[in-house]
Amino acid sequence: MAADGIQYAGEFTISDAKIFSSSGNVIPLEGLVQTITIFESMYKQSMTGVISILDTNSIVKNLPIIGQEFLSFKIKTSSVRGTLKEDIIDFTENVFNIYKVDNRIIDGKAEVLILHFASGERLLNSRVRVSKSYTNSINDIVQDVLQNENYLNTKKDLFIEGTVGVRKIVAPSDVPFTLIKKLATEAISLEHGSPYFMFYENKDGFHFRSLDSLYSQPIVAKYNTGDFFHQTDRGGTTIPNVIEEYGRPISSQIISSNDMLDSVDQGLLGSTFISYNIYSKSYSVTRFNYFDNFRDFNRISDNPIYNSNEIDEFRNTVADFPNSKRHLHPTSKDNERDAQYYSIDNSASRGGNIKSLYSPNRVENSLLARQSKFVELQRGVIMVLEVHGTSNIAVGQTVEVDFNVAGEPHGGSSDPYYTGKYLITQLSHNFSFAPKKEHTIAMTVSKDGYEQELEQNTAAREPRKRSRGVVSKNVI
């Protein structure tokens, strides 16, 4: 059945679609747009997209379009949280920058024009540099870089999580996104104690926040990969159920590949961090073990993606090889103070005490766990879904997927490992205008573990029939 005037899943309307040219001309795009695709990724710092236009009035020549234009549009779709309601993707206040004129396909008197666009902050990021010293918390430094009129000067909403400590840093002519990404590797969540900070943009604005913060969000959509039971009328015609269609993926595919060799090389399972203190002329060693450190911080799933069985006669697990990846890092810590920067506290100085106000780099507490986490998210339990589009869905949100065993109907047997809560790490909003206006979303969703624990078996060691090979020294 249709609901609230919605005739089919993925229906949308578009308004205020315009191109603002470098010559000052404004061209309405009503009736000219063929497709719009908007890309979001947790691993990218800005949104990008592609729009194709059917040009029957030589707008390329008359404007002209040279890759120095602005694009605005507003799209209304329906979201589903039990019932349908209207949501809007609005880029009329914060417009996109057209930066590239791609293929021009001429067919008779018409021409299909393909234009690439990106957030204005993406272009500004390539044009400016941050040369400034900061004495502040990392979250306040990030906010300044984003909003400072000398840098990114964004007017978009910001979602910034509080961080631990006051840092004194110097930005040596870094581009803004590079500086913020570097700060993300050093940030520790004030609320969660987590080192898993992400910096990305989605349709709602810019986000500088930890995975713990993202995991704690309520789910925005539920999907079931099983077949639905369709209702039919007396004539045998299928009766569409729009709400159910929104919860049924058009297609789904598991693309996770537990690559053991890659997991070892990239530090997912085990690694070592050696910190050399240039102030005290000492060093310390920190080791990471996937199983021992599995529950150090919050997770979206409770069970490891590898089995902790012993694999050899020395009773090693796959995580008991910390030297498989090593890091060496200089620091200048004096206990919990940054030995490079001191300030005099007048009240304390009367007693001859000097007090540091600045926190040292705590990368030894975060780097190993952080590298393991991101390998886990990018190469672990991953699924690609194509779904009917709703504009309330964005990168960084969570969804629930009931992954049914192949051939089972909706409500059938769920896969015990792949069913559960997922984080949206990448997506594209795809708006097609012909043969009908239809919005679909292609999304990559990930989680950092299985829903069910892998079976433990002490007899799972590598089978070896020989204790040692024969050594031949007289080889001709």
Side-chain angles (χ1 to χ4, degrees), residues 155-194:
K155 309 302 180 186
K156 297 175 180 176
D157 292 337
L158 305 181
F159 302 86
I160 300 179
E161 186 175 351
T163 57
V164 172
V166 174
R167 296 293 308 282
K168 187 174 180 66
I169 66 168
V170 177
S173 196
D174 283 333
V175 297
F177 285 169
T178 297
L179 174 60
I180 296 175
K181 285 193 296 181
K182 179 182 178 182
L183 292 172
T185 66
E186 302 178 6
I188 304 293
S189 168
L190 183 63
E191 179 178 356
H192 303 286
S194 167

Side-chain angles (χ1 to χ4, degrees), residues 330-445:
T331 187
S332 57
K333 291 173 60 175
D334 180 12
N335 294 319
E336 289 305 309
R337 301 177 298 184
D338 189 333
Q340 295 185 72
Y341 304 104
Y342 287 95
S343 65
I344 302 296
D345 182 336
N346 290 330
S347 62
S349 63
R350 297 189 186 97
N353 297 318
I354 297 178
K355 182 180 180 181
S356 170
L357 300 179
Y358 313 127
S359 302
N361 184 317
R362 292 186 172 89
V363 67
E364 69 275 9
N365 297 333
S366 62
L367 188 144
L368 302 185
R370 183 180 172 85
Q371 78 177 1
S372 176
K373 172 63 68 176
F374 290 115
V375 174
E376 198 173 35
L377 282 178
Q378 295 178 56
R379 295 176 174 85
V381 184
I382 304 171
M383 195 178 300
V384 174
L385 304 173
E386 184 182 11
V387 301
H388 297 289
T390 63
S391 58
N392 69 305
I393 293 179
V395 150
Q397 296 175 331
T398 59
V399 296
E400 184 178 298
V401 180
D402 188 350
F403 193 77
N404 276 206
V405 175
E408 293 284 347
H410 179 63
S413 300
S414 299
D415 187 291
Y417 298 106
Y418 288 92
T419 291
K421 188 175 181 180
Y422 284 79
L423 179 69
I424 304 174
T425 57
Q426 299 181 83
L427 68 75
S428 62
H429 287 278
N430 307 302
F431 300 94
S432 176
F433 289 74
K436 64 180 180 180
K437 290 182 179 178
E438 186 172 12
H439 175 202
T440 60
I441 297 176
M443 66 172 77
T444 301
V445 298

